[in-house]
Amino acid sequence: SIASIRGRRVWDSRGRPTVEAEIRLAGGAWGRAIAPAGASTGSGEALDRRDGGTAFGGYDVKGAVAAVNEEIAPRLAGMDAADQAALDAALIALDGTPDKSRLGANATLAVSMAAAHAAAAAAGLPLWRHLGGEGATLLPLPQIQILGGGAHAGRRVDIQDFLVVCPAATSFAEALDWTAEVYRAAGAIMKARGLLQGVADEGGWWPAFDANEQALETLVSAIGRAGFKPGEQVAIALDIAATDFGRGGRYRLGLEGRELGTEGMIRMLLGWLDAYPIVSIEDPLAEDDAEGFAAFTREAGARIQVVGDDFLVTDAARVREAARQGAANTVLIKPNQRGTLTETLAAWQAAREVGYAGIVSARSGETEDVTIVHLAIGWGVGQLKVGSFARSERMAKWNEALRIEETLGNHARFAGGAVLGRSR
Ligand code: PGA
Ligand code: ZN
């Protein structure tokens, strides 16, 4: 049973405060976890509690840390750390709001994840095995950012993530090997053309392009330069993050100085599908454009993976509603969009029920915490997106999955391209 819970303020990859929770059990086992933070958030997400004011740009989390130490700790003391559903129900009831805004989703998620780690430690198991048992053998297809944009690169390009997946790789380790070469090649090409400005929030190259399609062309060149067949061995995935530049069916592409309606956006993206080896598009339209989402999915969902992030916000009810509308075919799974592991798992279970694929995802503000890797493998989700192939808050996650693949040895099954979502 839970003997003590301690909250503390630590720092994330953007140098902003965030919440860490540490849970000790009566038997001596313990667990620790840190909440991440998004920058391009959906309005339906559970809310982080921030102090406001002037310190650290208003991002301080003294209130959320106090909520852990003064409210959550006494409430959960004595409870069974292995009963995740009961712990999370207690957190939800204690908070009392629909969006975790009173305690803060950063407070509740850090505690929820720390409890899972403590329970796994008490069972003497790694978290992924504790969650998934002997059946947890599926290594995810990684979706890895090569170029950053949108809110993560000063809006230098409109599209937020230009990523790759390696559908033909035969192991998780091999997918990383291939991606490392593509990442290097993309950097070299951009540097040679004077188009490299540094790295963006998730470690991808920060590009100085004049058009969104320049990024797609660079990506195709980089895949070829690295020695791979574009589309077959290494393919493109995009996170449009359209909520950031669209609302009410109007989409403002700042880079190209034009505004498109829903229909125009769909035509543009379908054009890209014909011209480039794209296998996955996330948030092609804004969170308020369910009809656009459904129309795009009708046009493209049999061919490519259509992912809802801001649109579905890891919410089981929204996943079921989207399925009724035929909008998207894959759900992005971000634990801090809900604030407890139980609700996060419910969204993934809803996805399975309606035949959607899933991608466990990090946030743009991250830390050394690797809990999401254990969730992806323990729950058998099949895909993992944690940003680029640089910076240790990203690499910590890829490296953790490498260790798990090695531990599984010849029991490991790599998800490969077959796991990508499709509408049927
Ligand atoms: P965020 O970006 O963490 O800033 O929301 C990640 C994403 O949009 O997938
Ligand atoms: Zn996204």
Coordinates of all heavy atoms in Angstrom, one line a residue, residues 14 37-42 45 151-152 160-161 202 239 241 282-283 309-310 332 334 337 361-365 385, ligand 1:
R14 N 12.0 22.4 -22.6 CA 12.0 23.8 -23.0 C 12.4 24.8 -21.8 O 12.3 26.0 -21.9 CB 10.5 24.2 -23.4 CG 10.2 23.8 -24.8 CD 8.9 24.4 -25.3 NE 7.7 23.7 -24.8 CZ 6.9 23.0 -25.6 NH1 7.1 22.9 -26.9 NH2 5.9 22.3 -25.1
A37 N 4.5 18.4 -21.3 CA 3.6 19.5 -21.6 C 3.6 19.8 -23.1 O 4.6 19.8 -23.8 CB 4.1 20.8 -20.9
G38 N 2.4 20.0 -23.7 CA 2.3 20.4 -25.1 C 2.3 21.8 -25.4 O 2.3 22.7 -24.5
A39 N 2.6 22.2 -26.7 CA 2.5 23.6 -27.1 C 1.4 23.8 -28.1 O 0.7 24.9 -28.0 CB 3.8 24.0 -27.8
S40 N 1.1 22.8 -28.9 CA -0.1 22.9 -29.8 C -1.2 22.0 -29.3 O -1.3 20.9 -29.7 CB 0.4 22.5 -31.2 OG 0.6 21.2 -31.3
T41 N -1.9 22.6 -28.4 CA -2.9 21.7 -27.6 C -4.3 21.8 -28.2 O -4.6 22.8 -28.8 CB -2.9 22.2 -26.1 OG1 -3.1 23.6 -26.1 CG2 -1.6 21.9 -25.4
G42 N -5.0 20.7 -28.0 CA -6.4 20.8 -28.4 C -7.3 21.4 -27.3 O -6.9 21.2 -26.1
E45 N -8.4 19.1 -24.3 CA -7.5 18.4 -23.4 C -7.7 18.7 -21.9 O -8.2 19.8 -21.6 CB -6.0 18.9 -23.7 CG -5.6 18.5 -25.1 CD -4.1 18.7 -25.3 OE1 -3.3 18.8 -24.3 OE2 -3.6 18.8 -26.5
A151 N 4.1 25.4 -34.5 CA 4.3 26.0 -33.2 C 5.7 25.6 -32.6 O 6.1 26.2 -31.6 CB 3.2 25.6 -32.2
H152 N 6.3 24.6 -33.2 CA 7.6 24.1 -32.6 C 8.8 24.8 -33.3 O 9.9 24.5 -32.9 CB 7.7 22.6 -32.7 CG 6.6 21.9 -32.1 ND1 6.2 20.6 -32.4 CD2 5.7 22.3 -31.1 CE1 5.2 20.2 -31.6 NE2 4.9 21.3 -30.8
Q160 N 3.4 21.2 -38.9 CA 4.1 21.1 -37.7 C 5.2 20.0 -37.7 O 6.4 20.3 -37.2 CB 3.2 20.8 -36.5 CG 3.9 20.7 -35.2 CD 2.9 20.4 -34.1 OE1 2.1 21.3 -33.7 NE2 2.8 19.2 -33.6
D161 N 4.9 18.8 -38.2 CA 5.9 17.7 -38.2 C 6.0 17.1 -39.6 O 5.0 16.7 -40.2 CB 5.4 16.6 -37.3 CG 5.4 16.9 -35.8 OD1 6.3 17.6 -35.3 OD2 4.4 16.5 -35.2
E202 N 11.3 19.7 -30.9 CA 11.4 18.2 -30.7 C 12.6 17.6 -31.3 O 12.7 16.4 -31.6 CB 10.1 17.6 -31.3 CG 8.9 18.0 -30.6 CD 7.6 17.2 -30.9 OE1 7.7 16.3 -31.8 OE2 6.6 17.5 -30.3
D239 N 2.3 15.6 -39.5 CA 1.3 16.1 -38.5 C 1.1 17.6 -39.0 O 1.9 18.4 -38.8 CB 1.9 16.1 -37.1 CG 0.9 16.6 -36.1 OD1 -0.3 17.0 -36.5 OD2 1.2 16.6 -34.9
A241 N -1.3 19.5 -37.8 CA -1.6 20.3 -36.6 C -2.5 21.5 -37.1 O -2.2 22.6 -36.7 CB -0.4 20.7 -35.8
E282 N -1.7 13.3 -39.7 CA -2.3 13.7 -38.4 C -3.0 15.1 -38.5 O -2.4 16.0 -39.1 CB -1.2 13.6 -37.3 CG -1.7 13.9 -35.9 CD -0.5 13.7 -34.9 OE1 0.3 12.8 -35.2 OE2 -0.5 14.4 -33.9
D283 N -4.1 15.2 -37.8 CA -4.8 16.5 -37.8 C -4.8 17.2 -39.1 O -4.3 18.4 -39.2 CB -4.3 17.3 -36.6 CG -4.8 16.9 -35.3 OD1 -5.7 16.0 -35.2 OD2 -4.3 17.4 -34.2
D309 N -5.5 13.9 -33.3 CA -4.7 14.3 -32.1 C -5.6 15.4 -31.4 O -6.4 15.1 -30.5 CB -3.3 14.8 -32.5 CG -2.6 15.5 -31.3 OD1 -3.0 15.3 -30.1 OD2 -1.6 16.1 -31.5
D310 N -5.4 16.7 -31.8 CA -6.3 17.7 -31.2 C -7.8 17.4 -31.4 O -8.6 17.8 -30.5 CB -6.0 19.1 -31.8 CG -4.6 19.5 -31.6 OD1 -3.9 19.0 -30.7 OD2 -4.2 20.5 -32.3
L332 N -4.3 9.3 -31.7 CA -3.0 9.6 -31.0 C -3.3 9.5 -29.5 O -4.3 10.0 -29.0 CB -2.6 11.0 -31.3 CG -1.0 11.2 -31.2 CD1 -0.3 10.5 -32.3 CD2 -0.7 12.7 -31.2
K334 N -2.1 10.4 -26.0 CA -1.2 11.3 -25.1 C -1.8 11.3 -23.7 O -2.8 11.9 -23.5 CB -1.2 12.7 -25.7 CG -0.4 12.9 -27.0 CD -0.7 14.3 -27.5 CE 0.3 14.8 -28.5 NZ -0.1 16.1 -29.2
Q337 N -3.2 14.4 -22.1 CA -4.5 15.0 -22.6 C -5.7 14.6 -21.7 O -6.7 15.2 -21.8 CB -4.7 14.5 -24.1 CG -3.8 15.2 -25.1 CD -4.1 14.8 -26.5 OE1 -4.6 13.7 -26.8 NE2 -3.9 15.8 -27.5
S361 N 2.0 8.9 -28.0 CA 2.8 10.1 -28.4 C 3.3 10.8 -27.1 O 2.6 11.0 -26.1 CB 1.9 11.0 -29.2 OG 2.6 12.2 -29.4
A362 N 4.5 11.4 -27.3 CA 5.1 12.3 -26.4 C 4.5 13.7 -26.6 O 3.6 13.9 -27.5 CB 6.6 12.4 -26.5
R363 N 4.9 14.7 -25.9 CA 4.6 16.1 -26.1 C 5.8 16.8 -26.6 O 6.9 16.4 -26.4 CB 4.0 16.8 -24.8 CG 2.8 16.1 -24.2 CD 1.7 15.8 -25.2 NE 1.2 17.0 -25.9 CZ 0.0 17.6 -25.7 NH1 -0.9 17.0 -24.9 NH2 -0.4 18.6 -26.5
S364 N 5.6 18.1 -27.0 CA 6.8 18.9 -27.4 C 7.6 19.3 -26.2 O 8.8 19.4 -26.3 CB 6.3 20.1 -28.2 OG 5.3 20.8 -27.6
G365 N 7.0 19.4 -25.1 CA 7.8 19.7 -23.8 C 7.9 18.3 -23.1 O 7.0 17.7 -22.6
K385 N 5.4 7.8 -31.2 CA 5.9 9.1 -31.8 C 6.4 9.9 -30.6 O 5.6 10.3 -29.7 CB 4.6 9.7 -32.4 CG 4.9 11.1 -33.0 CD 3.5 11.7 -33.5 CE 3.8 13.1 -34.2 NZ 2.7 14.1 -33.8
Ligands
PGA1 P1 2.4 19.3 -28.8 O1 2.8 18.7 -30.2 O2 3.0 18.4 -27.7 O3 3.0 20.6 -28.8 O4 0.9 19.3 -28.8 C1 2.8 17.3 -30.5 C2 1.7 17.0 -31.5 O5 0.9 17.9 -32.0 O6 1.5 15.8 -31.9

